[in-house]
Amino acid sequence: MTSTPLDVAKLYVSERGRIWRLVQRIVRNQAVADDLVQDSFVNLLGAASKSGNVQDERSYLSRIARNLAIDQKRRERETLTLEDAGIFAMADPIPSAEQVLADRQALKLTFDAMASLPERTRRALEMHRLGECTLAEIGRTLGVSTAQAGRLVLSGYSVVRDRLREAGA
């Protein structure tokens, strides 16, 4: 079916409400939904003028509107809102004296827990956490299987976690 501006105008009158509800369900914002409905019809008109032939205008229009709404939601997720930016601006970049002391105590507990580990377990944990080595690399270095390297790392993490929990950190 060849779409003319008059055909699109008639389609607008008959389909605007349906398309608006479709878009509104996705974006959850009336003003944005209004804009996206307008954009959908403009895109339909552009596609009709380029190709001169759109087979099923209602379906094509629905697809355009849905795609525009989904793209809008993606853009919203990728950008910080002004509220979010305000929250970050309120945060004090300098930790309090209490926080510094608590962090130092937790770090000391972590070092003490690591020092109490068997040599291979401690090395595996250090290589994984500090050296960012893969389990396969740890296994090769320590002369154990990858699975055993994973068990050593897990064991080390468990000891450190338990010590921190015991201390309430």
Side-chain angles (χ1 to χ4, degrees):
M1 170 179 185
T2 303
S3 299
T4 65
L6 183 59
D7 294 333
V8 173
K10 289 178 184 176
L11 190 65
Y12 179 83
V13 170
S14 67
E15 295 295 315
R16 185 201 174 284
R18 182 181 68 83
I19 297 299
W20 187 88
R21 288 187 299 277
L22 169 78
V23 171
Q24 173 63 15
R25 277 193 304 269
I26 297 170
V27 297
R28 303 273 187 223
N29 182 318
Q30 291 180 359
V32 171
D34 288 339
D35 290 342
L36 292 177
V37 168
Q38 293 293 327
D39 291 346
S40 299
F41 280 96
V42 169
N43 286 354
L44 174 65
L45 192 56
S49 67
K50 281 182 188 172
S51 69
N53 190 3
V54 174
Q55 295 299 318
D56 185 357
E57 291 172 333
R58 289 184 75 228
S59 296
Y60 191 70
L61 180 62
S62 296
R63 176 57 60 188
I64 290 171
R66 184 175 182 281
N67 288 345
L68 287 173
I70 290 169
D71 289 345
Q72 176 65 30
K73 286 302 281 186
R74 284 186 187 132
R75 281 191 301 275
E76 288 173 6
R77 266 186 252 134
E78 292 171 359
T79 58
L80 285 175
T81 64
L82 291 177
E83 286 179 13
D84 293 337
I87 289 171
F88 292 128
M90 289 182 354
D92 187 2
I94 302 170
S96 67
E98 294 83 11
Q99 186 63 51
V100 169
L101 180 61
D103 290 346
R104 285 182 181 164
Q105 288 172 342
L107 187 59
K108 182 176 180 344
L109 287 169
T110 301
F111 284 141
D112 291 345
M114 288 180 69
S116 73
L117 294 172
E119 176 67 18
R120 234 174 27 165
T121 304
R122 183 188 53 74
R123 282 195 60 210
L125 181 60
E126 288 173 348
M127 290 173 69
H128 187 261
R129 187 67 186 171
L130 304 175
E132 297 181 359
C133 295
T134 65
L135 294 178
E137 293 168 337
I138 294 168
R140 279 192 301 275
T141 302
L142 297 179
V144 298
S145 68
T146 302
Q148 179 62 26
R151 286 190 288 273
L152 290 171
V153 170
L154 183 60
S155 173
Y157 276 124
S158 296
V159 169
V160 171
R161 180 198 63 216
D162 292 345
R163 293 276 174 87
L164 290 171
R165 282 185 180 165
E166 288 170 8

